[in-house]
Amino acid sequence: MIKHHPSESALRSFVEGALPSTKAILISAHCDMCPTCLSKTRSFTESIAVDMFPDLRQNPTILREYISMFESITNDSTLLNPSYSQTLDTRITLDGREFVLPATLARFADRIGEWSHLAGKLWHASVNIGGGSLAQFIYMDRGASVPEHTHKGNELTLVINGKFTDGGKCYESGDFIELNQQHTHMPTAENYEGCLVVTMLDMPLHFTSGWAMLINPLSQLYFKVNTNN
Amino acid sequence: MLIGIPANQQRNETRQPKDCSVEMSGYLDTIAKQRCKASFAKIFSYFAPRLRSYALKQMGNEAIAMELVQDTMSNVWQKAHLFNAEKGSPSTWIFTIARNIRFDMLRKLQNRKEDVCSDDLWPVLCEQTADTKIAPLDEQITLEQVGQYFNELPAKQQRVIEAIYIDGKSQQEVADELEIPLGTVKSRTRLALQRLKDMLREYD
């Protein structure tokens, strides 16, 4: 059961289209998995629509300044872009297991890079969502743990499948986790099958530098081990 | 000053929003089925000025606001068949279209070369039915097809794929049997599957 959700205000901003796209993608993917938040976004959408169009009494006629617009729309014989194709491969195979991606992430399935071994039982693959922003899939094999770390921007994580614990909390499929720079954490996958998450830092610049450090085999600062522990 | 296309109904008595919503849904339906300009005129005369106020507030520029109005109303005209009254009111549908267009316009205005578009986040203009029913790629492919490509894989990858997908062994078992590290089994599996997928796409 999903216990961790985006805040109401985040959902509202998402509906308004006011969020940065990285966060919007993760919230959209969460809504693919979470009926509660999906229904909240629907009711937010309705209430915004009611505010915007409060009184559906008709205007008797089209205002003068809109006549030419009306004509050009109705006389335009060219069609707009065809509907977005939804024939997408929504699964990825990892370690012989199939993972079904939420529809929002499935749209980016063809942009998932090669999986590579990170450290211990951790695997990762980046997803290019454009604009210099990278999302990362992280697969924690059974018993894996990410060494304690902290980061600059906010870290957003969505659990796609599986279970992991972090700071005494347990996160499961569909959970949405938002951490800021004050959090130092050490996620651990306990589940027998391992755990697949997608994670994003909402500040692309910081993320890029984190990424650069990550791919440098000599300085895995992003996942720097806290040797004091 | 009001001129132009007269609406048939000029009654101004107060009506329940619900009734109006049903009426608007009816217009969208006629637009979808008959390309009815009179119905579109009713929707247009109500929504266009209100969309303009919204757009002006959001974008702060008259020309851009009118572009948003025009794009939104074009979508309503051309995609009325995608409106589903069971999923929400006409107002909600039209707000959603405007929101999506605004999102995409902002993206372009800010010149952010992001690939994320409103369709990725709020696929309101898509047929939202049955899309999950489409069999994924790997289920549409017959075994013979795969077999044909399988032979083109390097021998090492063939052995791993055969052991896992035909003999049903775990990756660890395969690693023990072939006396190679588990990571190698994993990467061979991954590469082989990727290769098969590529070949299937290429020859399709």
Side-chain angles (χ1 to χ4, degrees), chain A residues 149 151 153-157 177-179 185 199-201 222:
Chain A
H149 64 284
H151 14 65
N154 293 327
E155 184 194 58
L156 303 168
T157 303
I177 307 138
E178 183 164 7
L179 297 175
H185 67 141
T199 177
M200 291 180 188
L201 296 187
Y222 183 76

Side-chain angles (χ1 to χ4, degrees), chain A residues 14-16 21 28 55 57-60 62-63 66 72 75 78 80 86 95 98 114 131 141, chain B residues 2-3 7 23 37 40 45-46 52 70 78 99 102 113-114 119-122 131 138 171 186 190:
Chain A
F14 167 70
V15 167
E16 288 166 358
S21 47
S28 177
D55 161 26
R57 242 180 322 111
Q58 286 164 38
N59 289 24
I62 292 176
L63 299 169
Y66 292 98
S72 85
N75 291 333
T78 60
L80 294 174
Q86 295 224 334
D95 204 8
E98 271 198 341
E114 282 287 293
D141 210 350
Chain B
L2 302 172
I3 60 152
E23 205 175 319
K37 283 194 188 185
F40 183 59
S45 64
Y46 176 83
R52 179 177 162 272
Q70 174 141 10
Q78 299 201 4
R99 186 264 322 271
R102 176 182 149 258
K113 292 205 174 93
E114 284 182 44
D119 275 351
D120 294 325
L121 303 172
W122 310 279
D131 51 272
D138 46 6
Q171 293 189 320
K186 286 182 180 175
R190 185 169 39 91

